[in-house]
Amino acid sequence: MIQKIMLIVAEDENHGVGYEGKIQWELPDEMKHFAVTTRGHTVIVGRKTYETFTPPYQPLPKRYNIILTRNASYQPPNANDKTYICTDYEDTIVLAKELSSENDIFIIGGPELYALALNHPTLKVDRLYITTVHATFPADAFFPGIDDPLNWREKTLEDHPADERHAYAYTVKQYDRLDFIM
């Protein structure tokens, strides 16, 4: 089995992913999509994003959690035996592959980690899951976007309308890197 490096993100129509350490929307079915898609896999998360999680989601359950930070002595809150620290992106990917040799790896944020993963010269992201919330919000954290749309095959997975549980409509798309497919 070839392990894929995948990236998952929810953004607003201006690519905003957060404001003052918080997500600006509450979409239960989109959160379920995140949970189901990443459960059982290794997730790689930046320190700042990890610190926005609250118990019991710190660390995310039923996943190995690798926190990428510049601080080698960082002690993550609520760490358990499935929580690891790395200070180098390449080492993080190596560890992720060792921890879950049968499962794919998910980059789950934040913006600095997304940019690092999308622009890495050799450890390329193979698949993207991008949820676009059909609204705009104040934001101070942004998803950097896809490098070249011609390098990706797009597939819509879900168009979810606004309803009594979801104040905003959203769309979930999957993008596969063309050189990975071929």
Side-chain angles (χ1 to χ4, degrees), residues 121-137:
T122 58
L123 297 171
K124 300 213 180 275
V125 173
D126 304 303
R127 177 173 289 162
L128 309 171
Y129 291 97
I130 300 177
T131 298
T132 301
V133 179
H134 299 298
T136 59
F137 301 89

Side-chain angles (χ1 to χ4, degrees), residues 158-179:
E158 178 182 10
D159 275 318
H160 195 295
D163 61 25
E164 63 279 350
R165 294 177 51 235
H166 302 82
Y168 308 99
Y170 65 89
T171 302
V172 180
K173 292 186 177 182
Q174 173 182 311
Y175 297 83
D176 290 303
R177 183 179 295 281
L178 292 178
D179 60 358

Side-chain angles (χ1 to χ4, degrees), residues 4-176:
K4 292 184 282 299
I5 300 174
M6 303 204 262
L7 183 151
I8 190 165
V9 63
E11 63 177 5
D12 73 8
E13 291 180 342
N14 289 331
H15 303 292
V17 296
Y19 182 67
E20 296 181 350
K22 294 181 177 43
I23 296 173
Q24 297 293 89
W25 52 82
E26 188 172 316
L27 302 169
D29 289 348
E30 199 283 325
M31 288 302 296
K32 182 178 179 184
H33 158 73
F34 172 86
V36 168
T37 304
T38 63
R39 186 174 296 128
H41 298 281
T42 296
V43 296
I44 300 172
V45 61
R47 177 198 54 83
K48 292 178 200 171
T49 300
Y50 178 82
E51 289 178 351
T52 67
F53 300 165
T54 56
Y57 304 108
Q58 187 188 54
L60 292 174
K62 300 183 181 171
R63 302 159 188 85
Y64 288 106
N65 289 246
I66 303 175
I67 303 163
L68 183 60
T69 178
R70 292 178 191 93
N71 179 357
S73 61
Y74 177 65
Q75 298 294 316
N78 304 306
N80 61 26
D81 63 343
K82 290 190 168 193
T83 309
Y84 297 83
I85 302 297
C86 280
T87 59
D88 176 80
Y89 180 71
E90 290 86 359
D91 293 343
T92 302
I93 297 297
V94 169
L95 176 59
K97 288 182 176 196
E98 289 172 2
L99 290 172
S100 58
S101 61
E102 297 297 316
N103 294 315
D104 296 319
I105 299 159
F106 278 88
I107 309 294
I108 65 168
E112 289 179 52
L113 181 53
Y114 288 141
L116 182 63
L118 287 169
N119 296 308
H120 196 277
T122 58
L123 297 171
K124 300 213 180 275
V125 173
D126 304 303
R127 177 173 289 162
L128 309 171
Y129 291 97
I130 300 177
T131 298
T132 301
V133 179
H134 299 298
T136 59
F137 301 89
D140 56 12
F142 296 88
F143 180 63
I146 297 174
D147 56 350
D148 181 354
L150 297 177
N151 289 333
W152 301 89
R153 181 178 67 191
E154 176 185 324
K155 175 182 172 184
T156 299
L157 301 179
E158 178 182 10
D159 275 318
H160 195 295
D163 61 25
E164 63 279 350
R165 294 177 51 235
H166 302 82
Y168 308 99
Y170 65 89
T171 302
V172 180
K173 292 186 177 182
Q174 173 182 311
Y175 297 83
D176 290 303

